[in-house]
Amino acid sequence: MASIKILRYGNPDFLRKIRPENLRAFLLKFKDFFNRIKFAIPDGDFSDADLDRLAGILVSPPSFTPGLLLNAVEMLEMLTSSNGWSELQMLAPDLVRNLKSRNDGAGDIALKVWLLDPHAIERIYTKFSISSARKLVCFRANPGTPITTPTKAVCKAIASDLALPFDDFFDSKSSEVMVFEEGDGYAFLIRHGDVVRRIGVLDDDNNPETKAIRPLKHDVGFLLPTSWEFQLAGRSDAVRELYRSVFSKHLFGTPGALQPAKRFTLDPLRAGRLCLDVADMNMIDGAWLRELRIRRKLSTGGTIHFGDDVFREIETRGAGYLSEFDLIHARFFLRVKGRRKGITLTLNPDEDSLRGDTHDPLGIEWLESCRFTIHANNESVLEAA
């Protein structure tokens, strides 16, 4: 069978923003490959012609291109975007601080981290590549239930228990469970193969053929020991139920310890715009309600308010306006000091979903400070209120 020729690969233009000495160090890791294709790695600056040819190689690479090179370019491309750069700074602040030199850009630093520790970049990329918009569902164990610290051995045992069900769901037993310590909890990445897809491709001689590929997918879970919560995302109710049972068994002792729970409420909005102000969060330079979906009580009809400041519209309708409605969905925007990009968070209590910049600890802290988050220790109080 003829070998595969990849028709389109990412956007290598970010390589033009990397300092020549750093780009050279990266390319020299694949010296044999570039010798084979007769690309001379410059000793000094890269000319426009050099960069154009390099971009062309990466857009349509030969079939014998090292997979490590292609993987590295994909990871570096994403992590040098504005969002990826923010993620790199957040997840590897010490590495960024220690490796940064004068005039280094995001690409230079990401590449230096890759040269020093490729696995660190892979972990950061893997975590960042998970869609921040996916829905998380919440499960909670009884307060006081003992929690097992998620070590590598625990993660390996979880992956082992997922193998047979994954064979049914995805026709592949292969999976890897990784854990990252995050503030007062732990983040889990569940990496697994998806069902096989067949696509038409061209070989090196431009002859068509069919190739079977198994895409790589990731799911995410968060363990919050202080509230006995496990929040997770999966591709279906069946997959989420599998994760609930297996993680419950290994982290809380029994498959039934984790039970469905609610995480969010929009009731603080009824008190007006002051509910968005948190005096002791100095990094938050302002918070706005940008969208609010409401439904009149005892009816099926709904109304959507949206704009730069939704409270301005609500206030024109009188103090008791929201008392006539159930609050269904809200989108918030937070401006953060020292950052060009703000934080966007969207809450839907009925779906128990949080979307947007869910990875940002400032946003999560803001939600809790504004009492949009329900915890085990105040859930009974809210139910009685």
Side-chain angles (χ1 to χ4, degrees), residues 26-282:
F26 172 66
L27 298 181
L28 285 173
K29 291 287 186 180
F30 308 96
K31 185 177 180 179
D32 291 342
F33 166 73
F34 287 109
N35 285 340
R36 183 175 176 182
I37 62 172
K38 296 180 171 52
F39 178 82
I41 301 173
D43 292 329
D45 290 341
F46 287 70
S47 68
D48 287 341
D50 291 329
L51 292 170
D52 285 341
R53 186 172 178 215
L54 181 58
I57 292 166
L58 296 173
V59 165
S60 184
S63 58
F64 53 84
T65 305
L68 183 60
L69 170 60
L70 297 179
N71 289 341
V73 170
E74 181 180 7
M75 291 187 288
L76 293 170
E77 177 190 353
M78 178 172 284
L79 291 174
T80 53
S81 68
S82 58
N83 289 344
W85 172 234
S86 297
E87 193 76 3
L88 183 61
Q89 289 177 300
M90 184 185 307
L91 296 178
D94 293 335
L95 273 175
V96 169
R97 190 180 307 110
N98 293 334
L99 294 174
K100 181 175 173 58
S101 299
R102 185 178 178 84
N103 298 324
D104 272 352
D108 294 291
I109 298 170
L111 195 150
K112 285 181 178 181
V113 174
W114 185 89
L115 289 170
L116 180 67
D117 186 355
H119 295 297
I121 282 290
E122 182 180 5
R123 290 192 299 269
I124 294 167
Y125 164 79
T126 300
K127 189 169 185 182
F128 176 68
S129 66
I130 296 174
S131 172
S132 61
R134 73 174 53 191
K135 176 183 175 181
L136 289 172
V137 295
C138 181
F139 300 94
R140 189 175 292 129
N142 289 330
T145 302
I147 302 175
T148 300
T149 300
T151 61
K152 288 184 178 180
V154 170
C155 290
K156 187 174 181 179
I158 291 171
S160 178
D161 278 2
L162 293 175
L164 286 176
F166 274 3
D167 197 22
D168 291 334
F169 289 136
F170 308 115
D171 297 323
S172 172
K173 295 181 181 180
S174 177
S175 70
E176 182 181 7
V177 178
M178 297 168 281
V179 65
F180 304 84
E181 199 163 349
E182 275 203 344
D184 60 352
Y186 300 88
F188 293 86
L189 292 176
I190 306 103
R191 181 159 60 189
H192 61 85
D194 204 352
V195 294
V196 170
R197 299 177 186 175
R198 288 172 172 78
I199 60 172
V201 298
L202 296 178
D203 64 20
D204 284 343
D205 298 318
N206 288 323
N207 297 315
E209 66 174 351
T210 300
K211 189 71 174 179
I213 62 170
R214 186 181 296 280
L216 185 65
K217 297 295 183 180
H218 298 87
D219 291 321
V220 61
F222 298 94
L223 172 64
L224 306 175
T226 56
S227 56
W228 292 271
E229 291 178 14
F230 189 74
Q231 301 169 9
L232 63 87
R235 297 177 190 281
S236 66
D237 289 342
V239 172
R240 286 191 289 270
E241 173 57 24
L242 169 65
Y243 289 156
R244 182 203 65 77
S245 175
V246 173
F247 278 89
S248 180
K249 170 186 170 182
H250 289 280
L251 298 179
F252 293 89
T254 65
L258 287 169
Q259 293 297 317
K262 291 293 186 182
R263 294 181 294 156
F264 306 114
T265 177
L266 291 175
D267 283 345
L269 294 177
R270 301 183 188 280
R273 69 169 64 244
L274 290 180
C275 76
L276 305 182
D277 295 336
V278 182
D280 58 351
M281 289 191 67
N282 296 328

Side-chain angles (χ1 to χ4, degrees), residues 317-336:
R317 297 170 180 261
Y321 172 62
L322 291 182
S323 64
E324 303 175 15
F325 296 89
D326 294 321
L327 309 184
I328 306 302
H329 166 111
R331 178 167 54 88
F332 304 97
F333 175 77
L334 313 180
R335 189 166 60 202
V336 182

Side-chain angles (χ1 to χ4, degrees), residues 303-314:
T303 300
I304 301 177
H305 297 284
F306 60 90
D308 290 339
D309 181 4
V310 169
F311 269 119
R312 186 162 37 201
E313 170 68 16
I314 292 174

Side-chain angles (χ1 to χ4, degrees), residues 320-367:
Y321 172 62
L322 291 182
S323 64
E324 303 175 15
F325 296 89
D326 294 321
L327 309 184
I328 306 302
H329 166 111
R331 178 167 54 88
F332 304 97
F333 175 77
L334 313 180
R335 189 166 60 202
V336 182
K337 291 180 181 178
R339 293 193 199 173
R340 296 178 62 183
K341 179 181 179 295
I343 298 172
T344 298
L345 296 167
T346 301
L347 285 184
N348 187 317
D350 283 356
E351 296 180 353
D352 196 45
S353 66
L354 171 63
R355 303 174 189 270
D357 296 315
T358 59
H359 61 286
D360 197 305
L362 273 178
I364 302 306
E365 182 182 353
W366 180 83
L367 288 174

